[in-house]
Each structure stands twice: as structure tokens, then as C-alpha cells.
Amino acid sequence: MPELPEVEVVRRDLDREVVGRRIKAVEVDAMRSIRRHRQRKQFTSRLEGKKITGVTRRGKYLLVMLEGGDVLVIHLGMSGQLLRAKSAREAKPKHTHVVITFQQGGQLRFVDPRTFGEMFVTEGDNVDKEVEELAHLGIDPLDMAMSWDHFGALLYQHNAKLKNLLMDQKFLAGIGNIYSDEILWEAGLRWDRPSNSLTAQEVRRLYRAMMEILQDAVKYRGSSLADEQYVDLYGEPGEYQLHHKVYAREDEMCPRCRATVVRAKVNGRSTYFCEACQV
Ligand SMILES: [Zn+2]
């Protein structure tokens, strides 16, 4: 599932490729991908003829701003991909559910084999009402300047296992299974440490690890794993998986202390960590 860095890479790609373009036509071939609309027309008619004025992000939701004040909201879900096509003649990948054609030529295609992703159009100030999750979204670590001591104060307000708290969307936006493991390894902290038990030094390490890992992941254009679908707007996989230290590296050597990376099952998900140097 794409996490914050992958969605941010797609946002930057969209910002470069679609802002300033005018939408000529929209085709939808799976109503499930636009399930908040009852009819195709409610979706397509609000897009056709409109110029795209900007692309922002709230957590893992992409917000494509349209002239006139409407917003095209996109969530990639488990397996969604946004792909640019230079021309309509380019072969459409299987599971292409929505195609946006631009007046200047070229298309934006939404491909989603598992159809957990979605697109919808709403008024700009209505997004929080449409998406319950966004009304209570936590801090966005890629977006918000926050001091480490403020972060520490927030950690102390909870008595939760660190991994659960990092992945709690009401606490922090967009961190999932991969980046929580990588951040905790970098910080030298175990996944099950209570969040209110950290020393000031540990808070600072966790804060710095979170910022560095997420920014590096964007720099390397996200993580693409063998069993997952993430690619960027140009169909290219990310490279950050090559820099993972523990995630999906069970039985490999910890790059810091040379102990063996182990895997635990936590809430039905795999958690990877080093029992020797994460405390
Ligand atoms: Zn280690």
C-alpha cells in the first residue's frame, strides 16, 4: 500500500505534468472507482472543460484543484496507480478504470486492480465532510514544521506502543507498515516501547529518524516491493526499497550491529526489527 512518501512523489509528478492543462474528456469504466457519485455524469461533467490549477495533498489523499473551486480528490487505496500517457494511442494497462484526456493532448489514467482506491469531485471546502479520516487527520511529517520537543509532548500524551502510534492516522498522517519499521530501526527503538517511556534523547532520535527516513524515501521516489503495485506517474518503480534496513529483511544481518533481523506478527501484520540494538 502506498504510504506518505509514495503519495508525495505522485503529487510532485502531477504538479509537474498536469497543472495548467485543461480537461477535454473523462471516461469511467468502473463505477466502483467513483463510488461516491451515483452517476458517471455527476463526475465527468464537473471535470470536462476545467483547467487544473494546482495539486496538493492531505495525508494520503491527492487534491487536484480545478478552476471554479472544485477539487478532484484521489486516493490510491491498496493498489491504485496514476499513470501519464503521452497520447491516447498508448496501450491502456489492464484495470484502467478512469481516463482523463487533456485538450493539449496526453492522458492521466487511473489503474486499480483491487479497486480500493477512488476518485471523486467535490467543492474545495467540502473535502473534510466527504472524508471522515481527513477531518481528524494527524500531523503530516512531510508538510508541517514541528519541533522535536513538541513531538515529545505529543508522544507523552499517549500510552501506546510506538509502532501503533506512528501508524495511527489521527496522530501522524500517512505512515504505514514499511516506514514505521524503518523509522523505529533508525531511532534504535523497539516497536512495542510505550510512547510515554522515552527519554528526551530518545524523543529527539525518533523525531530525527522520522524526518530523515521520510525525506530520503521521497528522494529515492518511494518503495516498490515485489508483491505491491506502487509506481510513479511515469510507470517507474521507486528505489527506496534498496535502502530498507529491516523491512522484509528477516534473517538478514542488522546493518548496525550485525545481529539477525527478526519478524514478529503484530495486529496481523509483519513487523521487522533488531532485538539487539532496538531497545
Ligand atoms: Zn541491530
Side-chain angles (χ1 to χ4, degrees):
M1 188 193 291
E3 298 182 27
L4 200 61
E6 289 78 34
V7 179
E8 175 61 15
V9 170
V10 173
R11 188 199 69 75
R12 292 181 186 188
D13 289 352
L14 283 171
D15 197 51
R16 192 177 314 124
E17 294 292 338
V18 306
V19 172
R21 287 178 182 254
R22 192 174 293 279
I23 296 170
K24 182 177 164 192
V26 181
E27 289 163 59
V28 178
D29 88 345
M31 283 306 288
R32 188 163 148 75
S33 294
I34 57 159
R35 54 190 168 270
R36 285 173 206 255
H37 298 283
R38 249 179 248 122
Q39 293 163 329
R40 265 185 191 75
K41 196 113 190 92
Q42 293 173 341
F43 177 75
T44 58
S45 66
R46 287 175 80 166
L47 294 170
E48 286 170 352
K50 296 281 169 56
K51 190 172 170 181
I52 294 172
T53 57
V55 184
T56 61
R57 183 179 59 70
R58 295 273 314 279
K60 297 202 287 180
Y61 286 81
L62 291 160
L63 308 184
V64 178
M65 313 296 188
L66 304 163
E67 66 180 356
D70 276 355
V71 180
L72 167 63
V73 182
I74 307 170
H75 192 264
L76 300 174
M78 300 285 286
S79 59
Q81 301 175 339
L82 282 171
L83 296 172
R84 181 197 69 151
K86 278 193 181 148
S87 100
R89 286 189 300 274
E90 268 180 43
K92 256 192 260 168
K94 216 173 161 185
H95 308 292
T96 300
H97 298 317
V98 179
V99 176
I100 296 174
T101 303
F102 298 105
Q103 271 178 7
Q104 294 89 336
Q107 295 183 328
L108 181 65
R109 296 164 172 182
F110 183 57
V111 178
D112 190 7
R114 300 182 64 181
T115 66
F116 289 109
E118 64 162 332
M119 285 182 155
F120 64 92
V121 185
T122 189
E123 292 98 51
D125 52 15
N126 202 40
V127 176
D128 280 16
K129 268 179 249 154
E130 280 285 344
V131 186
E132 170 74 13
E133 187 187 324
L134 290 183
H136 308 285
L137 195 65
I139 291 167
D140 190 316
L142 281 176
D143 199 40
M144 194 179 284
M146 171 182 53
S147 62
W148 73 268
D149 55 331
H150 178 59
F151 180 61
L154 295 174
L155 288 172
Y156 286 119
Q157 284 170 14
H158 295 81
N159 177 16
K161 290 176 176 144
L162 280 180
K163 176 160 172 134
N164 292 348
L165 192 57
L166 291 179
M167 290 177 58
D168 178 352
Q169 301 301 303
K170 289 179 187 154
F171 183 69
L172 289 170
I175 296 177
N177 212 31
I178 296 177
Y179 293 104
S180 55
D181 283 2
E182 291 297 312
I183 289 166
L184 289 169
W185 181 86
E186 185 69 30
L189 296 167
R190 276 179 67 100
W191 62 273
D192 55 357
R193 268 291 290 279
S195 59
N196 56 5
S197 73
L198 270 54
T199 65
Q201 199 185 19
E202 287 173 330
V203 168
R204 216 174 318 173
R205 279 208 320 257
L206 179 58
Y207 175 78
R208 197 181 305 142
M210 176 174 75
M211 294 311 200
E212 282 177 10
I213 296 281
L214 296 174
Q215 283 162 12
D216 272 5
V218 173
K219 189 171 103 193
Y220 289 104
R221 302 193 60 78
S223 300
S224 297
L225 295 157
D227 57 338
E228 295 190 18
Q229 318 273 340
Y230 166 72
V231 291
D232 66 16
L233 203 65
Y234 311 99
E236 297 292 330
E239 289 183 353
Y240 191 67
Q241 68 281 3
L242 304 174
H243 300 269
H244 289 175
K245 303 298 199 302
V246 285
Y247 188 80
R249 293 189 185 277
E250 188 182 9
D251 296 333
E252 290 182 31
M253 199 191 277
C254 168
R256 185 164 48 214
C257 76
R258 300 176 164 260
T260 304
V261 173
V262 297
R263 178 168 69 116
K265 258 310 201 224
V266 181
N267 307 330
R269 291 157 170 270
S270 291
T271 291
Y272 300 89
F273 65 108
C274 174
E275 282 182 305
C277 68
Q278 289 178 252
V279 297

